[in-house]
Amino acid sequence: MNEKTIILLGPPGAGKGTQAARLASECGWPHISTGDILRAAVAADGPLGRAAKGYMDRGEYVPDPLIIDLIRERMAAADAKGGVFLDGFPRTPPQAEMLDELLVELGRSPAEAVLVEVPRDELISRLSGRLTCERCQHIYHLVSDPPRVSGICDACGGKLVQRSDDAPGTVVRRLEVYDEKTAPLIAFYEEGKRLSAVDGIGSQDQVSGRLKEAIGWS
Ligand code: AMP
């Protein structure tokens, strides 16, 4: 595959980050997660992080102009030339429109979206039991995918933490924000005949297999 831009679309907790990381490591394309970039910016306490932190802690979206600047810079990097997996972006119609314009400017093919579908009660249970490595961002679940040693990342030995926005009250708000602001993107990509959907329930291997089939890579 060449110069593809694959968007993993779906609510928080659907497994977009886990799957994007798996697919990216298999094919050598970068996994671009705006959430990871923003969390790194918050940890670095620079201007972007300071501007974004309050929104993120409340489960709200960071304003489009900040995200658009960030993605413009990231997509122009040398490692994005071959193909990319986008996770957590675009999240609003203006972001999707901006991405279309940016891809034209960069001379790339239009983006394709794959919707990862997971029922609401499963999303809530996944998010509230989720543990994230603060060093490498690897994701675990307290019950369904625990680390070998409690609190320690199997992959890099980093400390596992609950993301501040995975706290129960914030999870509900994030799902509401998804319904209001991101769910309209399903129609946006469907109208352009650029959407496929996969069932996000099952083992990580099963879901990866469905995603590969959906993007014509199996
Ligand atoms: P995520 O890791 O994708 O769940 O993102 C965590 C948080 O970062 C979100 O709840 C938003 O506050 C912020 N964020 C990440 N990506 C975007 C985006 N494309 N647009 C606006 N806010 C974003």
Side-chain angles (χ1 to χ4, degrees), residues 33-151:
S33 155
T34 41
D36 285 351
I37 297 171
L38 290 168
R39 278 184 288 280
V42 169
D45 197 24
L48 173 62
R50 284 198 290 271
K53 186 174 187 318
Y55 297 100
M56 295 172 77
D57 286 346
R58 292 191 300 277
E60 304 290 338
Y61 285 174
V62 173
D64 285 337
L66 293 179
I67 301 290
I68 287 171
D69 285 352
L70 173 168
I71 212 80
R72 185 174 278 282
E73 190 182 322
R74 185 64 188 85
M75 290 290 290
D79 69 341
K81 295 262 181 314
V84 296
F85 290 102
L86 296 180
D87 155 25
F89 174 87
R91 243 178 166 106
T92 61
Q95 291 182 14
E97 281 156 22
M98 170 272 171
L99 176 64
D100 279 351
E101 286 163 20
L102 179 64
L103 295 177
V104 171
E105 260 173 53
L106 295 173
R108 299 173 66 118
S109 313
E112 295 165 38
V114 190
L115 175 66
V116 185
E117 295 181 304
V118 172
R120 193 56 48 117
D121 52 351
E122 171 72 12
L123 293 173
I124 292 172
S125 110
R126 285 185 185 185
L127 289 167
S128 41
R130 180 157 79 172
L131 294 172
T132 306
C133 173
E134 62 180 10
R135 194 185 297 162
C136 75
Q137 310 297 320
H138 193 94
I139 291 166
Y140 298 84
H141 189 276
L142 273 173
V143 180
S144 60
D145 186 18
R148 284 195 294 272
V149 179
S150 169

Side-chain angles (χ1 to χ4, degrees), residues 7-26:
I7 300 163
L8 294 183
L9 195 61
K16 304 182 301 295
T18 303
Q19 289 298 335
R22 284 174 70 109
L23 297 175
S25 80
E26 264 188 60

